[in-house]
Amino acid sequence: MRFHGLDLNLLGALDALRIEQNVTRAALRLNLTQSAVSAALGRLREHFDDPLFVPVGGRMLPTALMQALFPQLDAFLGVSRALTFANARFDPATAQRRFHVTASDYVLAVLMPRVQRRLLDEAPGIRLALGTLPFHAGQADRLVAEALDRGNSDLVILPDRYRSAAHPGAPLFEDDFTTIAWVDNPDADGELTLSRFLELEHVVREISPEMPGSLEAEFFQQAGHQRRIAITVDQFGLIPEFVVGSRRVATLHTQLARLYARRFPLRLLPPPLDLPATVQVLQWHAWQEADPGLTWFRQLLLDVAAER
């Protein structure tokens, strides 16, 4: 369809090029050939009388005009998608669809198996693609944008303190913290005082030496307490493996600690420090607000998270 000389179908290619900054990846996103996307870019350049993207270090970066077009392109595509979903219907019992969810391995472990069981009963044709992404201060907006704006995820779950102001969201669940120890650890037999706790060796999740990999690590730092870190891992799921059979302890979100206590010989103890509870938030892209399938799935996540 042409509108004032512009083939509106080209705007989908323009959006893919903006997201991917690469013709080959944009073609894969659109399920088109590379030559077709190159031809579309050529027609767009002719219409706007501007290169729109220039190659820089292996990427195609937007020109000043292209950057100025971003808000109008978002608005146009948002309206187009809303019109597309206007009469859409979603029947979970018969739907065939895959939802992509990105979260920490902690959230995936405590929430998504329960979600899967609900799907098997209510929507057996729904498939899940689950990915992990480490959220941390200073890079949360970029990580959420990478997941949602690039279309790599339908939904992102992350701590409320890291939520992106650029995307809609809803509180999903709240959790506090519990310390875990091997059941035969003589150093963790009984109540843990702060001094005793700090004398013990700890297993923690860590993204890098300069970057805490969990909220409890941030809270201990903010309180000015230095723990004796014996082992660092990049996944919560590895922590109990290094606690069992040792005198080491770890402090985890309570739901995760309880999950591990059902699988490993662990003792659960209250931390000797008053750690604030955390809220996990569900976020999605604004253009998917009216998607009936995703709206249904978001509500399912909220319902499952509310079941304790």
Side-chain angles (χ1 to χ4, degrees), residues 47-193:
H47 177 85
F48 289 105
D49 191 24
D50 186 88
L52 299 177
F53 299 93
V54 293
V56 177
R59 294 189 301 160
M60 298 175 60
L61 299 185
T63 63
L65 175 62
M66 185 63 217
Q67 293 178 54
L69 291 175
F70 285 175
Q72 294 95 321
L73 182 61
D74 283 337
F76 173 81
L77 293 175
V79 171
S80 300
R81 286 155 177 156
L83 288 172
T84 299
F85 292 127
N87 290 320
R89 297 290 183 269
F90 180 80
D91 180 5
T94 60
Q96 299 290 323
R97 184 167 173 180
R98 172 176 289 189
F99 292 115
H100 295 251
V101 180
T102 297
S104 68
D105 62 314
Y106 144 59
V107 171
L108 296 180
V110 302
L111 180 65
M112 299 312 294
R114 292 187 286 143
V115 169
Q116 177 199 227
R117 289 191 284 273
R118 282 282 296 270
L119 290 175
L120 290 173
D121 289 337
E122 300 179 21
I126 298 298
R127 300 292 180 262
L128 297 175
L130 308 178
T132 59
L133 197 61
F135 297 106
H136 45 80
Q139 297 190 30
D141 283 344
R142 179 185 65 80
L143 293 171
V144 174
E146 186 175 287
L148 296 179
D149 293 342
R150 289 181 177 271
N152 298 326
S153 297
D154 297 303
L155 297 167
V156 173
I157 304 171
L158 73 166
D160 180 64
R161 63 193 282 147
Y162 298 158
R163 70 184 298 167
S164 170
H167 298 284
L172 188 58
F173 67 87
E174 183 177 281
D175 204 358
D176 52 16
F177 292 92
T178 293
T179 296
I180 63 171
W182 182 39
V183 292
D184 292 327
N185 182 349
D187 297 328
D189 185 12
E191 181 181 355
L192 279 179
T193 63

Side-chain angles (χ1 to χ4, degrees), residues 162-276:
Y162 298 158
R163 70 184 298 167
S164 170
H167 298 284
L172 188 58
F173 67 87
E174 183 177 281
D175 204 358
D176 52 16
F177 292 92
T178 293
T179 296
I180 63 171
W182 182 39
V183 292
D184 292 327
N185 182 349
D187 297 328
D189 185 12
E191 181 181 355
L192 279 179
T193 63
L194 181 58
S195 59
R196 187 178 185 187
F197 178 84
L198 296 176
E199 289 172 357
L200 296 174
E201 291 188 335
H202 294 254
V203 182
V204 301
R205 179 175 182 262
E206 185 178 90
I207 297 170
S208 73
E210 300 79 25
M211 193 175 298
S214 60
L215 288 178
E216 46 83 22
E218 291 187 30
F219 295 150
F220 277 111
Q221 283 188 0
Q222 292 166 6
H225 296 299
Q226 189 69 34
R227 291 178 296 173
R228 297 177 61 203
I229 307 301
I231 295 180
T232 64
V233 296
D234 64 356
Q235 301 172 43
F236 287 107
L238 293 173
I239 289 178
E241 301 284 357
F242 295 97
V243 170
V244 173
S246 77
R247 293 192 169 192
R248 293 166 181 153
V249 297
T251 302
L252 304 171
H253 289 282
T254 295
Q255 289 193 47
L256 192 60
R258 290 172 178 167
L259 176 67
Y260 291 155
R262 294 196 294 269
R263 301 175 180 175
F264 296 89
L266 295 171
R267 178 183 294 118
L268 304 184
L269 302 162
L273 190 67
D274 187 18
L275 302 175

Side-chain angles (χ1 to χ4, degrees), residues 15-43:
D15 187 49
L17 287 164
R18 173 184 64 163
I19 293 171
E20 298 294 348
Q21 298 182 353
N22 179 279
V23 172
T24 301
R25 291 197 299 270
L28 290 172
R29 171 180 286 272
L30 296 168
N31 197 28
L32 296 174
T33 64
Q34 183 175 334
S35 60
V37 174
S38 295
L41 178 57
R43 294 167 64 189

